[in-house]
Amino acid sequence: MRHLSILLLTASLLLAWGKTGHRVIGRIAEENLTPAAKAGITELFGHSDLARIANWADDIKSDPKWDHSHEWHYCTIIEGEEYTGPESGGRAVQKVTEFTKLLSQDNLSEKDQKDVLRFLVHFVGDLHQPLHVGNGTDKGGNDVKVTWFRDETNLHSVWDSKMIDHMQYSYTEYAQQLQLGLTDEDRQAMLNPDIMSFVYKSRSFHPQVYDIGNGKLSWQYIYKNKELMEDRLLKAGYHLAAILNEIYK
Ligand code: ADE
Ligand code: ZN
Ligand code: ZN
């Protein structure tokens, strides 16, 4: 029993934006693809349902063959410094850049195109979770123990899934809710494929994210951070669409 709980605990530390978060991002992106991008993705998968492929990169963490991919889910920007590269921890920026290029060049096997696209959809999402752009001191908040209502957990997990799950929306409902009332100008403004701009943006929210008082997080923390969490999901969806539209031009 003890071993089982340790195993479960370890597994929970490894998750990224939870399943719903990645699906919301995939759904929003899909709704904003150009016809060419939609066609390119459909040619590969037989559909263009990005929500369906968005969690594969987490699923394969259970396969030792993919152990080397664990550090592809995050990056690090040391406090007060510029992003320097993977040597400060995590390869998400490098992988998103590399995979975008690989898909654009169009000389991969069909199997590799599928894997690379599944990774890309997931990592663009991860990089919008403020704690996936870590500060290099606490594994992106995984080492910051907090309570969430009555449960013991960590700050990273609150941002990956606890806050999202608390909203009790399905991913399709959430994708729809987040886009209510957007004008064409709003949408255009969000269709930005520049990776480093959203990485720095994620990092810029750390003061708010780490403002956790005594670490007993519940209604008040949600009240203060819901808007930011939802904005990161929305922007992730549009940025992902912009990157894919650029690839399948
Ligand atoms: N491990 C080390 N840094 C991390 C981060 N920012 N996110 C997830 N896992 C990590
Ligand atoms: Zn991830
Ligand atoms: Zn995570």
Side-chain angles (χ1 to χ4, degrees):
M1 201 52 207
R2 186 115 178 267
H3 291 296
L4 181 64
S5 57
I6 290 169
L7 265 177
L8 290 174
L9 193 70
T10 313
S12 73
L13 295 181
L14 293 171
L15 296 174
W17 270 137
K19 293 214 184 287
T20 304
H22 280 291
R23 287 185 185 132
V24 169
I25 293 165
R27 176 64 167 235
I28 293 173
E30 185 188 8
E31 290 171 4
N32 290 280
L33 293 175
T34 57
K38 217 165 174 155
I41 295 165
T42 303
E43 202 180 310
L44 270 182
F45 288 98
H47 63 79
S48 61
D49 188 340
L50 300 179
R52 182 161 172 80
I53 62 173
N55 285 296
W56 174 84
D58 279 337
D59 298 340
I60 60 163
K61 285 177 173 171
S62 302
D63 183 346
K65 188 181 88 189
W66 284 109
D67 277 357
H68 61 286
S69 73
H70 295 185
E71 60 169 357
W72 299 359
H73 293 249
Y74 61 92
C75 70
T76 302
I77 301 181
I78 311 285
E79 182 66 31
E81 295 185 14
E82 304 268 292
Y83 176 73
T84 50
E87 52 286 351
S88 34
R91 297 188 176 271
V93 168
Q94 190 194 14
K95 289 293 153 186
V96 167
T97 311
E98 178 189 331
F99 291 162
T100 301
K101 271 206 198 98
L102 280 174
L103 283 174
S104 306
Q105 289 161 357
D106 193 23
N107 52 8
L108 296 174
S109 71
E110 192 176 309
K111 155 106 176 61
D112 285 349
Q113 283 183 62
K114 283 167 101 165
D115 286 358
V116 164
L117 185 60
R118 290 189 274 227
F119 275 132
L120 185 63
V121 167
H122 183 92
F123 297 150
V124 170
D126 273 347
L127 283 171
H128 286 75
Q129 205 275 53
L131 292 170
H132 273 252
V133 183
N135 60 24
T137 69
D138 61 8
K139 299 196 178 69
N142 272 298
D143 292 342
V144 180
K145 301 304 162 205
V146 299
T147 58
W148 179 253
F149 294 87
R150 289 174 144 206
D151 297 338
E152 295 192 4
T153 182
N154 65 74
L155 189 60
H156 189 95
S157 175
V158 166
W159 277 85
D160 269 353
S161 51
K162 304 275 190 220
M163 265 197 296
I164 296 175
D165 294 345
H166 183 85
M167 304 311 294
Q168 300 190 323
Y169 283 130
S170 68
Y171 80 87
T172 49
E173 288 166 348
Y174 221 154
Q176 193 225 359
Q177 292 287 317
L178 292 178
Q179 296 183 89
L180 283 178
L182 291 177
T183 64
D184 280 347
E185 290 86 66
D186 295 334
R187 291 171 190 272
Q188 277 312 317
M190 288 191 290
L191 284 169
N192 168 16
D194 178 43
I195 296 162
M196 286 319 293
S197 73
F198 58 76
V199 170
Y200 278 112
K201 197 76 185 170
S202 279
R203 184 62 174 80
S204 76
F205 296 118
H206 279 209
Q208 176 176 334
V209 169
Y210 278 98
D211 183 12
I212 58 170
N214 61 7
K216 293 190 195 317
L217 307 183
S218 64
W219 299 106
Q220 196 184 20
Y221 192 76
I222 298 168
Y223 182 69
K224 285 197 302 181
N225 291 285
K226 173 176 173 272
E227 197 177 308
L228 172 58
M229 179 271 283
E230 293 186 341
D231 188 61
R232 295 318 285 153
L233 291 175
L234 179 68
K235 298 280 169 42
Y238 278 82
H239 294 158
L240 175 58
I243 289 170
L244 296 173
N245 290 344
E246 194 66 27
I247 289 171
Y248 294 98
K249 258 205 307 234

